[in-house]
Amino acid sequence: MAGSADHVATGLWVGPEGSFARSAYGINYPYLFPNGKDISDKIPSTAWPNSPFVTLNGSPYPSHSAGPIEQFSDNITHVQGQHTLKFGYYFEKSGENDDDQIVIGSTPGGTNNQAGQFSFSDSTPGGTGLAFANAAVGKFATYAEVGARSFTPYRNHDNEIWGQDSWKVTSKLRLDIGLRWSLTSPYSSLWGNIAYFDPSVYNPASAVSINPATGNLSGTPTLQQIYNGMVIPGMGWPGAAGNRPAAEVAGIYNFLFTGGKNTYTQEHYADFSPRVGLAYAFTSKSVFRGGFGRFYDHTGVSDGLFPGGNSPIQQQASVANGNVDNPGGTSATLFPLYILSYAKYNPTPYSLQWNGTYQREVGFGTVVSVGYVGHRGVNLPYEQNINQLPVGTCPQGACPGGVSPNSLVPFKGYSTILQNTNLGGSMYHSAQFQVTHRFSKGLGFNAAYTYGKSDDNGTSYQTFQPNAYDNSFMWGPSTFDRREVWQITSVYALPFFRDGNRFLKSTIGGWTVSGIYVYQSGTPFAIGTTTDYAGVNSTGVTQYWVQNAPIVYSDQYSQGSNAATDSNYYFQPKTSSGAAVFSPPANGTFNTQRVRDIYYGPGSWNFNSAIYKDFRLKEKVKFQLRWEQYDTLNHPNWNGPNTSPTSSAFGKITGKSGNRDMQIAGRITF
C-alpha cells in the first residue's frame, strides 16, 4: 500500500515597484467578473495583430495543480515442481486537483489572464484605421476576461488482476506465460464540474441563429440553444460540490446533466493482456531470448484538453468594439463556443511488443548480441476538430458570398470542437547489435548500433489531424524517427606509473580516461504552410505541399547572412530544368500524397570525454579529481533546413550548434 501527491504551483510576484501591478500604471477599468480573482491588482494582456509593437502579457499565473495517487497491491507465489506460479491484484486511485485549465480559445481574443486581454485591430468600427492608434484612444476590437478559476478534482481508478507461470521445461529451456486483465475507469469530477460536447444529443432543429456577416449568435437564444449538444455527466451536483462551482451557484445549467453515471467516455471490460517469454541456452556461452506481450495504457488527464475548463463550467466572457475605460459598458457579444472534448466511445490505447535476441560470449570477457525489436501502437490518441468545414468550403478563407465560416459549420453555435479520439496507430521495427567487453585489465567498452524505423499517423497525443474526415495521408515517419544510432562508451585505466616510484604513482599514475561517442541520423521534416488551401477554416495548421519531382539533397551549408543569395542548399527546391519541386495543393483540396515527414535533415554526432584520478586521503575517505569535456572535438552539428516554401531561404541550412565545454570537478567520498 502506498500513497503520494505531487504539487505544482506557479506564482507571480507583483512586486512593490508594480511590475505586474495595474494600479502602478493608472489602470483601473472595472472587471466583468470582479469576484474570484487570484490577483485583483494585475495588468491585462494586449494583442496587436500584424503589428511590430511589443504586446503586453499579464500571464495566466498564479496557478496550482496537485496529483494524489493511492495504490494497493498484493501478490501470491507458489512453487510446484518446475513451475513457479504467481498471482496478483493491483488497485490505483489517482487524479488531479486542477485549477490551471482555462480554455484560451473559448472566445474571440480568448485569454488565460484573469485580468483580461484587449485586442486591437485596424478595422475596428468607428476607429482610427490603425490598431496602435485605436489603443491610444482606448478603442478595442475585442476584450476577453475569465472569471474565478474552475477548480476540478479529477479522479479515476484502475483495477488489474494477473497470473503468471514461470516454467523450467528443461535445463536449457524456460517459458514464462502470463495474462493480465485491466479495468480503467474514465475520469470523473468529485464536484461534478466537467462538461463535454456530445454530437449524439445535438439537435439541429434547436440550433442557434448565426449572423452570416459576423459569425456571432443573433437574436435572443435560450440557454438550451446556446448549449445545444453540451452535457454534464451525472444525476446532478454531488454533495461534495458544496456550492463551490460557479455553474452550480448559478443554478441555471442543471438541464445539462445526463441523468446517468458521472463519467462520459465508455468503460472497457475486455482489456486482456497476454504475455509470453522464453529463454533457450544452446550452450553455456550462447542463449536466445524472445517475448511477446500486449500492454494497455493507463490514460491520465490530458494536459491539453480539460473538460473542467469548458463553458459553462469556467466563467468567461468577451465584448466587441468597446472602450478600455469600461469594457462592460458595451453589451456582451454571444460568440460561438470553443470546446475541448473527448470521443464518447474511445477504446483503450495499447501496444503490442515483440522481440528476439541471440547472445554469445566470444571470449576475452566479451559478449556479442544480435536482436530484433518490434512495437505496434493501437488506438493511440490524437486531436481533431469535429466541427470542421467540409473540404473546399472556404479556400484560403474565401467563403461563398463572403459569409463567416461560423455560419457554415456542422454544429451551429460552436467554432472549434477539439476532440480527443483514440484511433491513431504506430509501427516500429529495428535491428539491434551490441558488443560488450567487461572491465578487465584496465579496459572496458560497449558499442551498440540500431537500425530502425518508426511510423505513425500522429506522434503525440496532441497531434492535430488537418482533415477530420480523412487522415489516411497522415501516415509517415514519427517526428522522433532516426534510422541509425551509434553509441560507443569506453573506460581505460592508463597503465603509466601505476607501480614503482611512490611519488610518481600518487601524482601522475593511476589516471583513468573515459569517452562517449554518439551518432544519430537526422530527424524527419515536412514541406508545407499554414495557409488554408483546403478551405476547412483551420488556423495555424500545416497543410502539406504537393511534391512534383524527387527531392535532391545537396548537403551544403548556407553562409548565414548571405542565405538569400548564395547557392548552397541542403536540398534543391527546383529541378535541373528550373521547375519547382513543391507546389501548393489546389484550392479546395488537401494534398493526399503521403508526404508527412518523409524527408530527413542532417545527422549529428558528439564525443564527450573525461580524465580522472582517485586520491585516498584516509582509509575510508577518497577524493576524486575530474576534468570533463563536452563536445571534446568542438564539432559543429547543422540545424535543420528551412522548410517554408515561401521563404527565400527555403531548402537551406543557416544555423548550427555545438561548442566545447570543459569543467574541473572534485568529489569526496567517505
Side-chain angles (χ1 to χ4, degrees):
M1 183 178 294
S4 64
D6 65 271
H7 290 263
V8 179
T10 305
L12 182 70
W13 184 58
V14 175
E17 73 281 1
S19 57
F20 276 85
R22 71 177 199 161
S23 59
Y25 307 100
I27 302 174
N28 59 4
Y29 64 86
Y31 288 123
L32 304 180
F33 300 104
N35 300 319
K37 301 294 187 190
D38 294 326
I39 300 177
S40 58
D41 187 19
K42 180 184 171 186
I43 60 173
S45 299
T46 60
W48 319 84
N50 304 316
S51 171
F53 296 104
V54 176
T55 59
L56 187 67
N57 184 6
S59 87
Y61 306 115
S63 66
H64 171 263
S65 64
I69 300 176
E70 301 171 17
Q71 299 169 318
F72 171 81
S73 63
D74 194 16
N75 303 319
I76 300 174
T77 301
H78 175 70
V79 179
Q80 182 173 345
Q82 301 300 313
H83 296 267
T84 301
L85 303 173
K86 295 183 179 181
F87 302 93
Y89 169 73
Y90 174 80
F91 171 81
E92 177 178 305
K93 181 180 180 181
S94 60
E96 184 166 347
N97 300 331
D98 206 329
D99 72 350
D100 187 15
Q101 51 183 348
I102 297 172
V103 181
I104 299 177
S106 55
T107 54
T111 182
N112 54 14
N113 183 1
Q114 280 191 309
Q117 174 171 303
F118 294 98
S119 295
F120 301 95
S121 170
D122 296 341
S123 58
T124 301
T128 64
L130 291 174
F132 187 71
N134 286 339
V137 299
K139 186 72 174 177
F140 64 77
T142 60
Y143 171 77
E145 187 180 314
V146 177
R149 289 180 179 273
S150 173
F151 178 90
T152 305
Y154 295 97
R155 293 294 184 273
N156 91 319
H157 58 267
D158 182 39
N159 288 279
E160 295 187 347
I161 301 172
W162 59 273
Q164 176 182 311
D165 180 13
S166 183
W167 178 22
K168 187 177 181 181
V169 183
T170 68
S171 60
K172 293 187 174 183
L173 176 63
R174 177 181 293 273
L175 288 177
D176 289 283
I177 303 173
L179 182 67
R180 180 180 294 262
W181 176 72
S182 304
L183 177 64
T184 301
S185 72
Y187 272 88
S188 61
S189 169
L190 295 178
W191 295 359
N193 55 338
I194 49 179
Y196 301 86
F197 179 82
D198 185 351
S200 67
V201 302
Y202 179 84
N203 183 3
S206 300
V208 296
S209 297
I210 300 295
N211 183 323
T214 65
N216 300 327
L217 280 63
S218 61
T220 310
T222 65
L223 285 176
Q224 285 77 2
Q225 288 179 295
I226 294 173
Y227 293 103
N228 183 9
M230 295 296 294
V231 296
I232 300 176
M235 303 290 293
W237 298 105
N243 281 321
R244 284 174 287 199
E248 180 189 16
V249 174
I252 56 176
Y253 303 108
N254 295 344
F255 66 92
L256 295 176
F257 282 100
T258 59
K261 297 193 301 183
N262 64 345
T263 57
Y264 175 70
T265 57
Q266 189 180 41
E267 202 161 14
H268 302 283
Y269 296 91
D271 291 349
F272 290 94
S273 303
R275 319 274 172 86
V276 60
L278 67 88
Y280 182 78
F282 296 96
T283 67
S284 61
K285 294 185 177 181
S286 61
V287 64
F288 174 81
R289 297 182 178 88
F292 169 84
R294 174 188 285 170
F295 301 85
Y296 278 94
D297 184 26
H298 182 174
T299 306
V301 176
S302 169
D303 60 0
L305 296 178
F306 294 108
N310 284 328
S311 181
I313 303 300
Q314 174 66 65
Q315 291 180 313
Q316 48 206 333
S318 186
V319 178
N321 305 324
N323 191 282
V324 295
D325 291 328
N326 185 20
T330 303
S331 299
T333 303
L334 292 177
F335 295 102
L337 297 176
Y338 183 107
I339 298 297
L340 307 179
S341 193
Y342 290 77
K344 193 171 186 177
Y345 301 105
N346 263 354
T348 308
Y350 69 89
S351 65
L352 300 174
Q353 302 177 25
W354 58 96
N355 64 82
T357 302
Y358 175 75
Q359 190 175 62
R360 181 172 177 81
E361 185 178 352
V362 296
F364 309 102
T366 303
V367 176
V368 177
S369 63
V370 179
Y372 162 77
V373 174
H375 182 286
R376 181 188 175 197
V378 184
N379 300 332
L380 303 183
Y382 57 66
E383 296 177 355
Q384 59 184 163
N385 176 19
I386 61 172
N387 205 29
Q388 172 190 302
L389 291 175
V391 177
T393 303
C394 301
Q396 299 194 52
C399 295
V403 300
S404 167
N406 287 335
S407 65
L408 304 173
V409 295
F411 301 107
K412 301 295 190 295
Y414 298 88
S415 55
T416 295
I417 304 175
L418 194 60
Q419 178 178 274
N420 170 280
T421 304
N422 292 350
L423 292 177
S426 68
M427 182 66 75
Y428 173 74
H429 300 282
S430 71
Q432 301 182 2
F433 307 87
Q434 186 171 358
V435 179
T436 302
H437 176 71
R438 293 187 297 273
F439 187 83
S440 64
K441 298 182 179 180
L443 175 66
F445 64 83
N446 180 79
Y449 171 72
T450 299
Y451 181 79
K453 182 183 180 183
S454 179
D455 292 308
D456 58 45
N457 57 9
T459 299
S460 165
Y461 66 92
Q462 288 185 310
T463 297
F464 182 80
Q465 300 295 319
N467 186 1
Y469 306 118
D470 177 17
N471 72 342
S472 60
F473 61 88
M474 286 291 288
W475 186 264
S478 305
T479 56
F480 57 78
D481 181 49
R482 293 182 185 269
R483 297 296 175 86
E484 297 183 81
V485 177
W486 275 99
Q487 181 167 310
I488 302 174
T489 62
S490 61
V491 177
Y492 181 54
L494 298 176
F496 314 117
F497 303 107
R498 301 187 68 86
D499 301 303
N501 185 288
R502 184 175 181 180
F503 174 76
L504 295 177
K505 178 182 177 180
S506 62
T507 54
I508 61 177
W511 288 86
T512 300
V513 295
S514 64
I516 301 176
Y517 170 82
V518 177
Y519 165 79
Q520 301 178 100
S521 59
T523 53
F525 62 87
I527 303 299
T529 61
T530 56
T531 302
D532 185 16
Y533 299 104
V536 295
N537 191 32
S538 65
T539 302
V541 178
T542 298
Q543 294 189 11
Y544 304 114
W545 279 37
V546 176
Q547 182 178 350
N548 303 308
I551 189 170
V552 176
Y553 294 94
S554 306
D555 291 328
Q556 294 177 320
Y557 183 82
S558 185
Q559 302 302 311
S561 60
N562 299 322
T565 57
D566 71 23
S567 58
N568 298 322
Y569 289 91
Y570 175 73
F571 65 85
Q572 293 293 332
K574 294 183 179 182
T575 66
S576 57
S577 63
V581 175
F582 299 95
S583 61
N587 271 348
T589 68
F590 280 103
N591 174 18
T592 56
Q593 295 175 323
R594 287 192 172 181
V595 292
R596 169 185 166 260
D597 290 346
I598 66 170
Y599 319 108
Y600 282 81
S604 62
W605 64 267
N606 188 49
F607 176 68
N608 300 330
S609 62
I611 181 169
Y612 54 91
K613 175 180 171 59
D614 292 332
F615 299 87
R616 189 165 296 281
L617 305 180
K618 291 184 178 181
E619 181 180 356
K620 296 183 178 181
V621 181
K622 183 174 64 176
F623 172 73
Q624 185 180 88
L625 180 65
R626 298 179 62 89
W627 178 29
E628 300 173 337
Q629 299 184 67
Y630 302 93
D631 192 11
T632 305
L633 302 179
N634 203 29
H635 168 73
N637 288 306
W638 291 356
N639 296 342
N642 185 307
T643 61
S644 174
T646 59
S647 169
S648 60
F650 178 52
K652 297 182 178 182
I653 292 178
T654 58
K656 62 183 186 300
S657 62
N659 295 289
R660 181 193 297 121
D661 292 318
M662 295 186 289
Q663 67 178 23
I664 296 177
R667 183 173 66 183
I668 296 178
T669 305
F670 57 91

